Amino acid sequence: MILVTKRIKPVPIEKFSEEDLIKGLEQGDGKIITLIYKRNIAAVRNMVNQYSNIILEADDVVQEGLTRAIMNIRDKKFKGASSIHTYLYSICKNICLKECQKLKVFYPATTTIDLSDEPQEDYYDLLQSVLKIKERMEQMCIEIIDLRFSLNPKLTSEHDHLNKKAQTMMPFEDIAKKLDILPDNARQRFKRCLEKLIDAVNKDKQIEDFF
Amino acid sequence: MEMDEKDNDRQEKLKGLWNDAKHYQEIHDEVREALLHSPEVPHIIPFYRKKYFAIAASIIILIGISAILILFIHKPSSNSGKDELTLGKDTILKLQMDKPVAKARQEIYNDEFLLQWNNKYDTISHLVVIGSRDNKIVFRTEIKPAQLSYKLPKGLLHPGKYEWYVGDIKFKKSLIIDH
């Protein structure tokens, strides 16, 4: 019997083209995510250390930056105006600046970011607020709101255009089947949970302003 | 009708936010998982590299240095040696010990001073002399149970105004040493 030990050498990031990296991020390729993390962590750590008056961990900032970058790539908001590394660095810098603004602390005046590919930074704050609200909700409510708000799989462009908005919601009949309850019960449960969600949202000034 | 449209619009926006938040959470988890399972990324940042730790450690070190400065560096120029303390006005109150003394009395005994009091103690107490000018303790010694006087050694105190007490600062007596 022959035993073989193979040493797998990591592929350097330089071997990947810009398109490969973006495609890898879009597909959630763990190897590409790791490579980009490793390539950028030192620069972000240096940058974070400049903001001595706020407590931020470079690792958290890069993780958050990667999340936003991937989300933007998947939503086709990233237009490729800059390299993925510049883009990620800019997002990370914006995260730090945002934190400074939130805490009303001084930050260097030269650090202005003009990021054409980046959507409104405030939107991510909104998403985090929604997640906080979600954390406080009952699992039963999260489940039914998730189902109702998910796209109707039966919907096609040929369907009724007059009531398109309503059709983007999953029908209660389908929800009822998935949850093994009656459609009326599904409707009532959703209504009750939505009221709770709206109530929580109304108490959040940032989301309220968004509406 | 207009209200319904407004509600629908709001619900539509809420739906967008809800779904985006879900999407965001999923990607966040994906990134975390990818980094967590990568052998090339250090998973646990050493505690000493955390900023929180650095700040907490700095505060503790500062407090420690301050305490050392207070306790050891500002020693009064007294001959009493081991019992010397340099505590300010506020901290003197922390030295309260034993039972209160009813009255303290002072007598001049040549160049020495005999301090007397009329309360006996069941346990060991302390005689404390404080400089009136800066409220610093210049002399402190143990008083045995049943002891009712203490003779201050010659040349222990420089000319000036002092206050002294046994056990409880509430019952203190002034002491003036002339040139």
Side-chain angles (χ1 to χ4, degrees):
Chain A
M1 187 170 65
I2 302 166
L3 296 173
V4 179
T5 306
K6 275 187 184 172
R7 186 177 173 186
I8 303 165
K9 287 184 181 174
V11 183
I13 196 164
E14 289 75 23
K15 297 275 179 193
F16 293 92
S17 68
E18 186 73 13
E19 287 75 30
D20 289 338
L21 295 177
I22 293 166
K23 201 176 169 188
L25 286 181
E26 193 173 10
Q27 291 170 350
D29 184 337
K31 192 171 65 183
I32 298 291
I33 290 173
T34 307
L35 281 175
I36 293 178
Y37 171 92
K38 280 189 73 188
R39 162 74 164 69
N40 291 281
I41 185 67
V44 174
R45 189 166 285 137
N46 285 341
M47 186 252 294
V48 165
N49 287 339
Q50 289 170 16
Y51 297 85
S52 52
N53 43 8
I54 52 170
I55 297 176
L56 277 175
E57 295 295 340
D59 305 80
D60 296 339
V61 173
V62 176
Q63 203 169 315
E64 178 63 26
L66 274 168
T67 303
R68 293 181 185 191
I70 294 172
M71 193 162 176
N72 294 347
I73 290 168
R74 287 184 188 170
D75 291 349
K76 310 290 177 206
K77 286 170 186 162
F78 173 65
K79 308 286 181 206
S82 54
S83 82
I84 190 66
H85 305 299
T86 310
Y87 185 61
L88 177 63
Y89 184 81
S90 306
I91 293 176
C92 291
K93 200 160 194 173
N94 276 345
I95 292 168
C96 292
L97 289 175
K98 189 81 194 169
E99 197 64 21
C100 284
Q101 286 165 0
K102 253 191 230 171
L103 299 170
K104 294 180 180 169
V105 295
F106 170 80
Y107 55 89
T110 50
T111 51
T112 51
I113 299 289
D114 181 20
L115 204 56
S116 55
D117 285 336
E118 177 76 357
Q120 281 183 318
E121 282 296 310
D122 291 343
Y123 194 65
Y124 290 104
D125 289 343
L126 276 180
L127 298 186
Q128 281 168 357
S129 299
V130 173
L131 287 175
K132 277 181 195 161
I133 290 173
K134 204 171 166 181
E135 271 175 23
R136 293 195 296 267
M137 290 179 78
E138 292 168 74
Q139 193 52 41
M140 187 182 71
C141 279
I142 294 171
E143 190 179 37
I144 200 156
I145 293 173
D146 269 344
L147 284 170
R148 178 69 176 154
F149 280 171
S150 60
L151 287 175
N152 181 357
K154 292 173 191 164
L155 181 69
T156 64
S157 57
E158 294 148 26
H159 277 76
D160 184 7
H161 296 284
L162 295 172
N163 200 12
K164 199 176 175 184
K165 273 184 185 174
Q167 285 199 22
T168 58
M169 308 266 186
M170 184 181 278
F172 285 113
E173 289 73 19
D174 292 355
I175 297 173
K177 274 183 198 164
K178 281 182 186 288
L179 297 180
D180 199 21
I181 53 175
L182 294 171
D184 268 354
N185 290 348
R187 188 175 284 108
Q188 281 166 14
R189 188 185 291 181
F190 173 72
K191 193 183 166 201
R192 200 173 58 245
C193 292
L194 186 66
E195 277 168 6
K196 282 183 187 172
L197 175 62
I198 289 172
D199 188 45
V201 160
N202 286 342
K203 286 175 188 163
D204 189 306
K205 198 181 173 305
Q206 201 181 9
I207 304 178
E208 190 57 24
D209 289 348
F210 170 74
F211 288 132
Chain B
M1 187 74 177
E2 196 181 312
M3 197 66 184
D4 280 353
E5 200 164 307
K6 201 178 166 186
D7 280 351
N8 277 339
D9 186 48
R10 194 183 168 87
Q11 194 168 318
E12 199 62 28
K13 278 185 174 175
L14 191 58
K15 179 190 150 189
L17 263 182
W18 181 272
N19 286 337
D20 279 354
K22 193 179 168 192
H23 187 197
Y24 170 86
Q25 182 69 59
E26 283 165 0
I27 296 172
H28 197 272
D29 292 346
E30 260 178 55
V31 171
R32 199 185 52 199
E33 279 292 302
L35 298 177
L36 198 68
H37 292 118
S38 167
E40 296 165 59
V41 177
H43 301 143
I44 300 166
I45 300 169
F47 72 95
Y48 51 83
R49 279 183 56 196
K50 289 270 183 188
K51 274 191 181 177
Y52 305 98
F53 172 78
I55 290 169
S58 306
I59 291 169
I60 290 167
I61 289 168
L62 278 174
I63 291 170
I65 290 171
S66 308
I68 290 167
L69 285 172
I70 288 169
L71 289 172
F72 296 105
I73 295 178
H74 293 290
K75 282 185 177 179
S77 54
S78 160
N79 299 332
S80 60
K82 61 180 180 182
D83 285 326
E84 286 178 358
L85 282 173
T86 56
L87 297 175
K89 195 174 183 177
D90 291 340
T91 48
I92 282 171
L93 291 172
K94 290 178 188 167
L95 288 172
Q96 284 184 19
M97 290 159 272
D98 309 329
K99 295 174 181 176
V101 183
K103 273 185 178 178
R105 194 157 63 89
Q106 161 224 339
E107 274 183 19
I108 296 171
Y109 187 76
N110 293 331
D111 291 331
E112 295 172 336
F113 290 89
L114 178 68
L115 306 179
Q116 292 182 315
W117 53 95
N118 60 1
N119 255 32
K120 285 184 183 175
Y121 292 89
D122 300 324
T123 54
I124 287 174
S125 183
H126 290 84
L127 164 71
V128 182
V129 181
I130 309 162
S132 293
R133 199 172 56 186
D134 53 8
N135 278 322
K136 283 184 179 170
I137 294 173
V138 293
F139 179 73
R140 183 168 174 267
T141 189
E142 273 184 9
I143 298 296
K144 289 171 190 163
Q147 188 176 341
L148 288 171
S149 66
Y150 184 84
K151 196 195 286 182
L152 288 176
K154 274 184 186 177
L156 175 71
L157 301 174
H158 298 292
K161 283 176 98 173
Y162 299 90
E163 283 176 326
W164 67 275
Y165 64 89
V166 178
D168 194 331
I169 195 168
K170 279 192 286 185
F171 302 97
K172 61 185 179 183
K173 180 83 181 170
S174 69
L175 164 65
I176 299 167
I177 301 175
D178 296 322
H179 289 277

